[in-house]
Amino acid sequence: MLKRELGILTLLVLLCVHGVKAVDLITCEGLTANLTCAQGTIEVLSANYGRTDRATCSTGRPANQLANTQCLITTPLNVLATQCNGKTSCSFGVNNRDFTDPCPGTYKYMNVSYECAAPPPLSTPSPPTTTTTTPPTTPPPTTTTPPTTTTPPITTTPPTTTTTTTPPPTTTPPTTTTPPPPTTTTTKPDIICQGRSSVLSCAKGRTLLIHHANYGRRDRVTCPPAVARFPPCISSVTRNIKLWCNGKRRCVLLGTNSYSNDRCPHINKYLEVSYSCE
Ligand SMILES: *[C@@H]1O[C@H](CO)[C@@H](O)[C@H](O)[C@H]1NC(C)=O
Ligand SMILES: *[C@@H]1O[C@H](CO)[C@@H](O)[C@H](O)[C@H]1NC(C)=O
């Protein structure tokens, strides 16, 4: 019986991006979740408590406890990131006392995705398949071919020695609102739609400096579906995001109310963060 329940726990290696493996850990309600890193330290990427399918953690459960597959709350991310990040192992109980119950009566599970950040931080380029908030199809800005000095990679050569440069390959796609590769020093705001998460990160030797962070909505089209009308709906969450991210090389953020009070409860919102790497 117990063995069966434990057998439900699946450990899937999801993706292997530049040597950093993301692990998806499912732990059924009532059990203890154990996050471990054989090498490096834990960096929680997402955490969902609830139920999104009928099969997971279903052994011996009556049908009425499995019927709701639209049950999800993502706020555990903040708790777990605080509790587990930077450690080599981390255990916590999966239960309704420690985490808000999003659907009483449903038997739930915790779905945590985390990676083991290598001890000497890998200065990898950003994984291209992270949370891409598909931007509204606005026409690209007119400046298509950038001049010679494009955004330099990690090697910051002073601009004095300009040897005959080979023409830069036109790689920079002119998409507008997608978050830029986190390794570059940038002040362009990152948009994290409600319920999504994103990782701000800097190249090796640099740390995050948050400029501004707002949660809410200031236009109709960002983070679809488009919203026809909405009340004034922007809260500054700069202080909390600064506390959370400043001085770190990487920082997991969630599009959620948990950084401030919700000023417009029924509106689909997003987190806007502008930052740089110092
Ligand atoms: C987590 O670790 C504890 C202590 O080693 C163990 O009792 C528990 O069964 C583990 N949880 C799971 C889901 O394997
Ligand atoms: C766990 O979360 C990941 C990422 O959000 C998702 O792809 C996967 O389907 C989830 N697994 C279950 C069993 O809910």
Side-chain angles (χ1 to χ4, degrees), residues 239-259:
R239 190 169 166 273
N240 282 346
I241 304 291
K242 276 185 173 175
L243 283 173
W244 182 235
C245 296
N246 273 6
K248 294 183 181 174
R249 197 175 75 85
R250 302 175 81 256
C251 173
V252 180
L253 289 179
L254 182 68
T256 175
N257 288 321
S258 58
Y259 305 108

Side-chain angles (χ1 to χ4, degrees), residues 1-12 25-29 31 51 55-60 107 109:
M1 187 74 152
L2 181 64
K3 257 186 191 154
R4 258 199 181 174
E5 284 287 15
L6 291 176
I8 299 295
L9 180 136
T10 54
L11 191 74
L12 299 169
L25 177 71
I26 306 286
T27 308
C28 305
E29 182 178 345
L31 298 182
R51 171 168 294 280
T56 305
C57 292
S58 60
T59 309
Y107 185 61
Y109 51 87

